[in-house]
Amino acid sequence: MIRRLLLGVVVLGMSMAATQPAVVQVMVNVKSVFELAVDRNIIDFKSMLPGDVKKDMPDNEGLKITVKSNNGRPWFLKISDLGELTNGSDVIPNSQFNWYGYPSKTARGHWVGNGENTFSLTPVLAYSSDVMEYNNYPTGTDMFFKFGLKVPAKQNSGVYRSVVAFTLTE
């Protein structure tokens, strides 16, 4: 009786042998998102007289910068101007042109420029992301910037122009 039962287990085990599974690899390439957007393309101080000072430009909330990233790494926002305010050979020096920033409700990182910071031709750190912002896609992180300008007392008349640049790095 024991022999028959053992033989039955061996035969049953052989008849239930499984085949090797066929496998298929599955892949997906999640594209990198690393975006910087600005809500306007001009900051107009309008007309000013020599010696005038204007702060908090543009009015309302300021210039809005939105950063989106899904890279899972720290990112940094830098600010500079590409040249001092000029009209031909006349210059309003960077020492008279300043910026400051403040966070929105979505910004949790560290502001470097909380006061009036003069512009530099070299990009300087304005904001560094918090760990919660390393992957902030799709909503992003909003930051706001305001600008101030003092026209020197002996400044020649004319339309002075410069370009403010924001640089996003990881």
Side-chain angles (χ1 to χ4, degrees), residues 1-8:
M1 175 93 157
I2 294 177
R3 288 185 191 161
R4 284 187 192 159
L5 181 60
L6 188 58
L7 182 61

Side-chain angles (χ1 to χ4, degrees), residues 9-22:
V9 170
V10 171
V11 170
L12 184 60
M14 288 174 30
S15 66
M16 295 177 66
T19 62
Q20 289 294 326

Side-chain angles (χ1 to χ4, degrees), residues 73-91:
R73 293 187 293 270
W75 50 264
F76 307 92
L77 182 67
K78 298 177 181 180
I79 187 171
S80 63
D81 61 355
L82 302 183
E84 295 179 303
L85 287 155
T86 59
N87 176 40
S89 62
D90 294 329
V91 176

Side-chain angles (χ1 to χ4, degrees), residues 27-91:
M27 294 177 23
V28 63
N29 178 13
V30 178
K31 292 186 177 187
S32 171
V33 176
F34 197 56
E35 298 175 352
L36 172 64
V38 181
D39 75 339
R40 65 190 82 198
N41 59 8
I42 192 164
I43 301 164
D44 189 355
F45 281 90
K46 309 259 185 234
S47 293
M48 296 176 69
L49 292 170
D52 279 356
V53 175
K54 281 192 181 177
K55 295 183 178 188
D56 294 329
M57 295 296 292
D59 53 4
N60 299 328
E61 63 187 10
L63 178 75
K64 182 170 98 173
I65 303 292
T66 303
V67 173
K68 294 180 182 181
S69 175
N70 71 340
N71 293 335
R73 293 187 293 270
W75 50 264
F76 307 92
L77 182 67
K78 298 177 181 180
I79 187 171
S80 63
D81 61 355
L82 302 183
E84 295 179 303
L85 287 155
T86 59
N87 176 40
S89 62
D90 294 329
V91 176

Side-chain angles (χ1 to χ4, degrees), residues 69 75 106 108-109 129-137 140-141:
S69 175
W75 50 264
T106 63
R108 297 186 172 153
S129 61
D130 179 79
V131 67
M132 299 297 291
E133 296 168 314
Y134 295 178
N135 185 341
N136 63 9
Y137 187 79
T141 300

Side-chain angles (χ1 to χ4, degrees), residues 105-126:
K105 293 177 184 175
T106 63
R108 297 186 172 153
H110 176 69
W111 276 100
V112 175
N114 290 329
E116 291 183 358
N117 307 279
T118 57
F119 269 95
S120 168
L121 300 177
T122 304
V124 296
L125 184 63

